[in-house]
Amino acid sequence: METRRMPAKELEGIVGAEHVREAAPEDAVDGVQPSLVVEPGSVEEVGAVMRVAHREGLAVIVRGSGTKLGWGNPPAAADLILGTTRLDKVLEHAAGDLVLRVQAGVRLEELQKRLAGAGQMLAIDPPHPGATVGGIVAANASGPRRYKYGTIRDLIIGIKVVLADGTVARAGGKVVKNVAGYDLSKLFTGSLGTLGVIVEANFRLHPIPKAARTVAVELESPRAAREAAQAIMHSQVEATAVELHWSEEERLLSVLVESIPEGVEAKREAAAFLLRPFGEVRELSDEEAGALEPVLQGDGGEVPVKISAPPAELEDVLEELFGAAGRRGVGVRVRGHAATGVTYAGLRGGEEEIAALVEELREIRVRRGGSVVLLGGSPELKRRVDAWGPGGDYLGLARRVKEKFDPRGILGPGRFIGGI
Amino acid sequence: MERERLVETMRGILGPEGVISEREELRTYECDGLMNYRVIPDLVVLPETAEQVQRVVRVCYEEGIPFVARGSGTGLSGGALPVESGILIVTSRMRRILEVDIPNQRVVVEPGVINLWITEAVSGEGYYYAPDPASQVVCSIGGNVAENSGGVHCLKYGFTTNHVTGAEVVLPDGSVVHLGGGKAPDAPGYDLLGAFVGSEGTLGIATRITVRVCRKPEAVKTLLAAFEDTEAAGGAVSGIIGAGIVPAAVEMMDRLTIEAVEVAVHPNYPDAGAILIVELDGPEAEVESQFEQVIGICKQNRATEVRVAGSDAERALFWKGRKAAFAAMGRISNDYYVQDSVVPRTELSAVLKKISELSGRYGLRVANVFHAGDGNLHPLVLYDNNVPGEAEKAEELAGEIVFACLEHGGSLTGEHGIGEDKKKYMPKMFTAEDLDVMQLLRCAFDPHQICNPGKIFPTPRLCGERPGPFRMHPVQKAGLAELF
Ligand SMILES: Cc1cc2nc3c(=O)[nH]c(=O)nc-3n(C[C@H](O)[C@H](O)[C@H](O)COP(=O)(O)OP(=O)(O)OC[C@H]3O[C@@H](n4cnc5c(N)ncnc54)[C@H](O)[C@@H]3O)c2cc1C
Ligand SMILES: Cc1cc2nc3c(=O)[nH]c(=O)nc-3n(C[C@H](O)[C@H](O)[C@H](O)COP(=O)(O)OP(=O)(O)OC[C@H]3O[C@@H](n4cnc5c(N)ncnc54)[C@H](O)[C@@H]3O)c2cc1C
């Protein structure tokens, strides 16, 4: 591999010597070793760093807390890590407007604590400890509450980005309703650091519900899982989340209901009534519900996979998944947003088997309009099987978008779908 | 291509009934809901299928002819205004509901389908389509997608962008792409659908749209509260939101609007300086309890009267006045200019004060009817076209209102779009860099700027291509090389 001249001195001049260091082995991204870690402290500094990178043609990997740096394909190159953790200011919390403006490096955990003081929240689920707002937007990760609130793309109302060539631009604003210009916030959501560096984001907030309950039903079969989820979906309960937990040990569908204290009991009763035909129903204590909470992290050697399908095909998804896993001796643990059609599965087994399993499921799901995406896994596994799978007929358009925003291809090269 | 040959080509694609070329007939399409600007298109085509749209666009691409999509033509920012020597592609013959899929809570439609038809198609199953612009009985879903339209229930349920899950789009080069997941969520890749929604017909033509439908709520309760002035009403709105309540709708009307509506549709509104309509929906127990709270908050904020709708008929009457407000202005003024700016909710009263000051200074009346929960104002500047100079004055006043909103942290438009009408204001809200970066997206979709050119951006930049009208090189035409 070609070794490039690193303009370390110049970068030190921009961000200060104490914020540039040589990259350590822990900074490697999917086995690719970068040279430098640079941590700018302002939007202007991000712009200046990117101008240098652009001029020199250096590959840049944007990093928040680094909790999900393994998403996507291994980068084709990585010279600089651009860390956002110093961009950690809450710029504006307009409580009366339920609107928030923050820098990208703000950690969601701390942000939520602060918002809770005003009885408000950014309506997404607790992410991995430390995850930054910029990383969450860039990854468009979703948790159980997406059933009610949508994903972060539905909550973002404005964005400020620094493009590959250092251009700073803003789109959207700080009002909930705004159709002036193109909605670039959506374009950058889920772009995994391949279109630009997100430096600021504005969000709409929600009031924290005053009361919550979780009811769960023990299920017999994948069919019961689908039917139970459908029963909740087509009811008037207005659940916040409908989650499936499926493995050797547990076969559970849980329903989170939230409301005011006067409303939550009725909601709980209604949900329990709807679930009763499918198995034994019980209410989970906050502790039990909390224990179901952690999303798949891909740790302990588990490979996390995201399966996307029409929600009414939940039964098929489970059968395909467990059938294929059984045949290949792969262990599976499922955590699904049963009513939205997103199922996360943690796979345990040999690399070859997992790769083959992903290909097999992908063949079916893509044909039926969905997708199977590898969220984690070793670089070796990702060399066997592409993280994203085939894109649709929009791939050429996506490439043109990438070419316009990052003509030299320096941002996270090769990580995204179709080799973008 | 000379016009006669073009007409022939289009007839070949669409049949004679799909092509309008007579000048008198073309006049029907010279403007949309904003009648300040008029341009007669060179040709109007009415395709019936996506494939026909694709063939028409391909001809446009190869010949460098600009085109504009049009749904029902109710837009209020001149988005569907034709371009000179261009083709207008009207979707009014693409009105089939293709699939109703209740298990997945999705409906697939052609772009010309009227907003309300979706609700009608699923209401038997207990479902409805949430985004409900006041024009819902006539506006098309394609137009809604292009404008990211809102409606009175968007405070709780979000805008078009939160309800469209997939779209088939004919790109300006005539290729077809499927954006978004449709029935399966989260298609991998960039959120190109999110970027397309609200792009005002400048990135391509939607030929098939998948939307999410919502379960009808168990209970709906609506009240009408009267106040001495808009400030007191605004205080009630803040109080409701501050209490952590998210109503399905919070709408405000000022005195002038109330008067106009009373003359036009007789909803029997109380005599007041401002009226709020507040609607809550959801599970019964929740709605009951929060509704009592809302009544209390209105009273604390000096409501002079609170009426609760006791029946569906009464609720419909509350809404009738609100929904007829724009049309009712005709009863008290010859002409009016609708503005569509947004401010943070907490700035409402400051901005309303400023509007009334401006109204005094210009000597023109301004009526206010708006989505108070979203801070989305619709000031109606009343004027008389027969009085020389008044139209210009009205437009100037409307501009001042826009600036006031921007000064208070707001936006140029909440739901009607920029179109032709507001592009001159874009540099007030965005820097040259911001606008250039938006143009990057435009250039990726439409490198030759033939798709609804001249809208949204005051000075579109070239996409790095040679200037002058675009002509496809024979090598490119033969598929031997691509243009970068
Ligand atoms: C199965 C699964 C489910 C999850 N569910 C949830 C959930 O429900 N809710 C939730 O909040 N989280 C969830 N997460 C975790 C979430 O994805 C990460 O915690 C978070 O997105 C990463 O934040 P980070 O700061 O560590 O980003 P990093 O790991 O540092 O970066 C993540 C990606 O974003 C890019 N990036 C980071 N910052 C920027 C920036 N400022 N500009 C541009 N690109 C940037 C990086 O290049 C990288 O591609 C889930 C994760 C998994 C695996
Ligand atoms: C009385 C009245 C009340 C209104 N109330 C509201 C309201 O409450 N909320 C609100 O948001 N709006 C409202 N509007 C504005 C208008 O109804 C909306 O903007 C609507 O979405 C326009 O739909 P249309 O089919 O009439 O589109 P058109 O006016 O025909 O076109 C609007 C834009 O969409 C583009 N377009 C149309 N079809 C397509 C397609 N298939 N693919 C790509 N681009 C396309 C056009 O090029 C144009 O730029 C109101 C208008 C009126 C007259």
Side-chain angles (χ1 to χ4, degrees):
Chain A
M1 216 187 285
E2 160 196 12
T3 36
R4 261 182 275 244
R5 191 187 71 86
M6 286 301 136
K9 278 278 164 274
E10 195 179 354
L11 294 172
E12 285 178 7
I14 296 169
V15 301
E18 62 282 27
H19 303 301
V20 179
R21 63 170 170 83
E22 241 171 71
E26 306 84 80
D27 295 310
V29 182
D30 261 356
V32 181
Q33 180 61 44
S35 301
L36 292 176
V37 177
V38 186
E39 300 191 310
S42 68
V43 175
E44 293 68 33
E45 288 182 12
V46 175
V49 168
M50 287 311 299
R51 272 195 294 281
V52 172
H54 193 250
R55 190 191 68 213
E56 301 290 331
L58 303 178
V60 177
I61 304 283
V62 188
R63 184 170 80 188
S65 296
T67 61
K68 278 285 95 30
L69 225 47
W71 280 29
N73 286 317
D79 298 313
L80 295 186
I81 297 267
L82 191 156
T84 63
T85 41
R86 288 179 65 218
L87 300 169
D88 61 355
K89 286 178 218 41
V90 175
L91 300 169
E92 201 179 336
H93 172 208
D97 297 318
L98 288 154
V99 163
L100 175 76
R101 191 161 69 91
V102 293
Q103 288 189 317
V106 168
R107 290 161 187 255
L108 184 71
E109 250 182 341
E110 282 147 38
L111 181 64
Q112 296 288 38
K113 271 185 213 147
R114 184 166 162 170
L115 297 174
Q120 299 179 357
M121 62 176 183
L122 179 57
I124 57 172
D125 294 277
H128 301 173
T132 63
V133 167
I136 290 165
V137 171
N140 192 22
S142 70
R145 283 177 175 78
R146 76 176 280 169
Y147 180 60
K148 170 157 184 192
Y149 297 102
T151 63
I152 198 83
R153 62 93 70 192
D154 295 292
L155 302 171
I156 191 166
I157 55 173
I159 200 163
K160 189 184 265 181
V161 293
V162 175
L163 298 194
D165 66 359
T167 307
V168 180
R170 189 172 66 84
K174 50 178 197 172
V175 283
V176 175
K177 206 169 179 189
N178 176 9
V179 291
Y182 294 144
D183 195 348
L184 297 183
S185 336
K186 304 267 190 295
L187 183 68
F188 275 81
T189 302
S191 64
L192 279 181
T194 62
L195 287 181
V197 186
I198 299 163
V199 287
E200 269 177 45
N202 310 346
F203 300 100
R204 70 175 298 187
L205 302 174
H206 284 84
I208 297 177
K210 299 198 171 67
R213 296 280 184 80
T214 306
V215 279
V217 59
E218 303 273 358
L219 297 165
E220 292 275 295
S221 64
R223 163 158 306 175
R226 186 203 63 203
E227 285 174 1
Q230 287 277 319
I232 299 290
M233 274 172 85
H234 299 299
S235 75
Q236 293 167 317
V237 169
E238 284 190 7
T240 303
V242 186
E243 290 289 288
L244 187 70
H245 319 260
W246 203 273
S247 64
E248 287 298 317
E249 301 83 44
E250 56 176 3
R251 290 180 153 205
L252 209 66
L253 184 92
S254 71
V255 177
L256 171 66
V257 291
E258 293 178 325
S259 185
I260 47 176
E262 303 88 309
V264 79
E265 181 53 28
K267 274 190 166 192
R268 186 203 63 79
E269 253 172 45
F273 176 79
L274 289 163
L275 295 178
R276 208 157 290 143
F278 305 100
E280 193 197 318
V281 177
R282 61 196 165 88
E283 183 167 353
L284 303 185
S285 67
D286 289 351
E287 248 165 39
E288 282 174 296
L292 296 172
E293 197 75 11
V295 286
L296 283 165
Q297 313 206 0
D299 38 35
E302 231 176 20
V303 175
V305 167
K306 175 180 176 180
I307 304 168
S308 167
E313 292 178 25
L314 182 62
E315 177 184 356
D316 310 291
V317 168
L318 288 174
E319 270 167 1
E320 286 154 21
L321 179 59
F322 282 87
R327 268 182 275 120
R328 297 173 196 282
V330 172
V332 195
R333 190 164 69 98
V334 159
R335 177 62 197 268
H337 311 326
T340 54
V342 175
T343 304
Y344 291 103
L347 306 178
R348 203 182 284 278
E351 245 152 41
E352 197 180 325
E353 287 73 27
I354 291 182
L357 170 63
V358 168
E359 299 279 19
E360 182 182 334
L361 294 180
R362 206 171 252 172
E363 202 277 312
I364 307 170
R365 281 298 127 204
V366 169
R367 189 157 33 83
R368 306 188 71 159
S371 59
V372 178
V373 173
L374 205 58
L375 293 181
S378 63
E380 292 71 40
L381 175 62
K382 290 190 206 159
R383 265 176 214 115
R384 283 180 192 266
V385 56
D386 182 83
W388 305 101
D393 50 17
Y394 55 82
L395 211 49
L397 179 60
R399 283 207 185 90
R400 293 204 292 278
V401 171
K402 167 73 174 180
E403 274 161 23
K404 291 291 173 198
F405 281 81
D406 177 16
R408 297 196 69 177
I410 60 169
L411 284 163
R415 304 210 75 186
F416 210 37
I417 190 165
I420 286 172
Chain B
M1 202 188 278
E2 52 181 275
R3 188 163 188 272
E4 254 165 63
R5 254 191 58 221
L6 183 63
V7 172
E8 270 322 297
T9 309
M10 289 301 159
R11 288 205 178 117
I13 296 172
L14 303 157
E17 63 294 345
V19 181
I20 295 173
S21 60
E22 294 301 321
R23 195 174 160 81
E24 269 322 297
E25 287 178 69
L26 289 170
R27 286 198 77 104
T28 316
Y29 298 97
E30 66 182 355
C31 66
D32 60 8
L34 180 77
M35 284 166 268
N36 311 34
Y37 308 93
R38 291 165 200 266
V39 174
I40 298 175
D42 219 27
L43 206 62
V44 170
V45 299
L46 299 134
E48 279 183 306
T49 64
E51 200 234 327
Q52 288 179 345
V53 174
Q54 190 183 7
R55 289 175 65 194
V56 168
V57 170
R58 205 144 250 284
V59 172
C60 292
Y61 178 73
E62 289 179 357
E63 302 296 331
I65 302 167
F67 61 88
V68 178
R70 177 184 167 112
S72 303
T74 67
L76 292 169
S77 53
L81 183 75
V83 288
E84 242 162 291
S85 321
I87 292 184
L88 194 67
I89 302 176
V90 182
T91 61
S92 56
R93 293 205 303 173
M94 300 176 75
R95 289 199 166 166
R96 283 174 302 168
I97 292 180
L98 300 169
E99 196 187 339
V100 174
D101 176 9
I102 294 297
N104 290 307
Q105 299 176 328
R106 299 287 188 277
V107 175
V108 185
V109 299
E110 289 186 332
V113 163
I114 304 302
N115 175 299
L116 192 64
W117 295 359
I118 300 183
T119 292
E120 286 169 359
V122 297
S123 66
E125 316 259 6
Y127 278 84
Y128 73 107
Y129 178 61
D132 57 346
S135 51
Q136 70 185 142
V137 291
V138 273
C139 66
S140 75
I141 288 296
N144 290 174
V145 167
E147 303 288 9
N148 188 17
S149 296
V152 295
H153 287 105
C154 289
L155 174 60
K156 179 169 174 183
Y157 294 102
F159 317 97
T160 301
T161 190
N162 306 111
H163 296 267
V164 170
T165 62
E168 175 185 270
V169 174
V170 174
L171 294 180
D173 68 357
S175 59
V176 175
V177 292
H178 293 81
L179 307 181
K183 273 187 231 168
D186 298 5
Y190 298 128
D191 187 359
L192 298 172
L193 178 65
F196 184 83
V197 176
S199 63
E200 305 191 28
T202 62
L203 299 181
I205 302 186
T207 48
R208 183 188 262 249
I209 296 159
T210 307
V211 301
R212 191 163 66 89
V213 288
C214 301
R215 186 73 173 93
K216 275 185 201 157
E218 186 181 13
V220 183
K221 293 206 84 159
T222 312
L223 67 76
L224 186 152
F227 298 85
E228 209 136 276
D229 50 36
T230 51
E231 197 163 348
V237 177
S238 298
I240 294 166
I241 303 291
I245 298 172
V246 184
V250 182
E251 297 289 305
M252 200 191 293
M253 285 170 271
D254 70 0
R255 181 177 295 279
L256 201 50
T257 308
I258 298 165
E259 278 168 22
V261 161
E262 206 53 59
V263 180
V265 296
H266 324 293
N268 192 25
Y269 283 163
D271 176 28
I275 280 178
L276 279 187
I277 298 179
V278 185
E279 189 157 284
L280 297 185
D281 69 11
E284 188 99 45
E286 192 175 293
V287 170
E288 286 296 335
S289 157
Q290 291 193 332
F291 198 71
E292 287 310 310
Q293 219 181 328
V294 169
I295 293 176
I297 293 168
C298 287
K299 287 186 173 152
Q300 276 159 31
N301 284 279
R302 298 178 281 121
T304 50
E305 190 181 336
V306 177
R307 290 185 196 167
V308 174
S311 64
D312 283 348
E314 223 171 327
R315 171 179 316 115
L317 195 61
F318 288 0
W319 279 117
K320 187 174 171 194
R322 167 61 186 90
K323 295 211 172 189
F326 285 32
M329 287 305 147
R331 296 299 188 100
I332 59 166
S333 175
N334 263 344
D335 303 279
Y336 66 87
Y337 194 96
V338 190
Q339 199 49 281
D340 168 44
S341 312
V342 191
V343 289
R345 197 165 27 223
T346 46
E347 301 288 328
L348 270 178
S349 94
V351 171
L352 287 172
K353 210 175 273 164
K354 175 91 197 185
I355 291 177
S356 107
E357 220 178 275
L358 286 166
S359 157
R361 176 138 43 92
Y362 278 78
L364 291 175
R365 291 179 299 170
V366 179
N368 286 293
V369 42
F370 58 98
H371 311 298
D374 299 317
N376 185 189
L377 294 166
H378 287 319
L380 296 136
V381 181
L382 310 185
Y383 68 97
D384 187 347
N385 220 350
N386 298 322
V387 178
E390 228 177 67
E392 290 74 20
K393 222 160 73 170
E395 194 175 342
E396 205 182 312
L397 167 52
E400 294 274 351
I401 295 176
V402 171
F403 302 148
C405 291
L406 289 182
E407 265 163 37
H408 285 84
S411 163
L412 289 175
T413 168
E415 54 183 15
H416 297 168
I418 298 292
E420 179 68 27
D421 190 39
K422 287 184 165 175
K423 62 183 187 183
K424 58 179 178 292
Y425 301 139
M426 283 291 268
K428 293 264 178 200
M429 182 165 169
F430 295 110
T431 65
E433 281 75 38
D434 299 341
L435 295 174
D436 276 355
V437 171
M438 291 183 195
Q439 287 286 297
L440 293 177
L441 184 74
R442 170 65 176 278
C443 290
F445 275 79
D446 180 21
H448 308 298
Q449 315 242 351
I450 57 170
C451 185
N452 207 359
K455 310 290 166 63
I456 307 181
F457 301 100
T459 43
R461 80 173 187 191
L462 293 169
C463 295
E465 265 86 37
R466 37 217 131 318
F470 166 69
R471 295 275 179 278
M472 195 186 240
H473 192 278
V475 173
Q476 206 190 343
K477 230 175 192 175
L480 297 173
E482 272 201 49
L483 190 77
F484 288 105

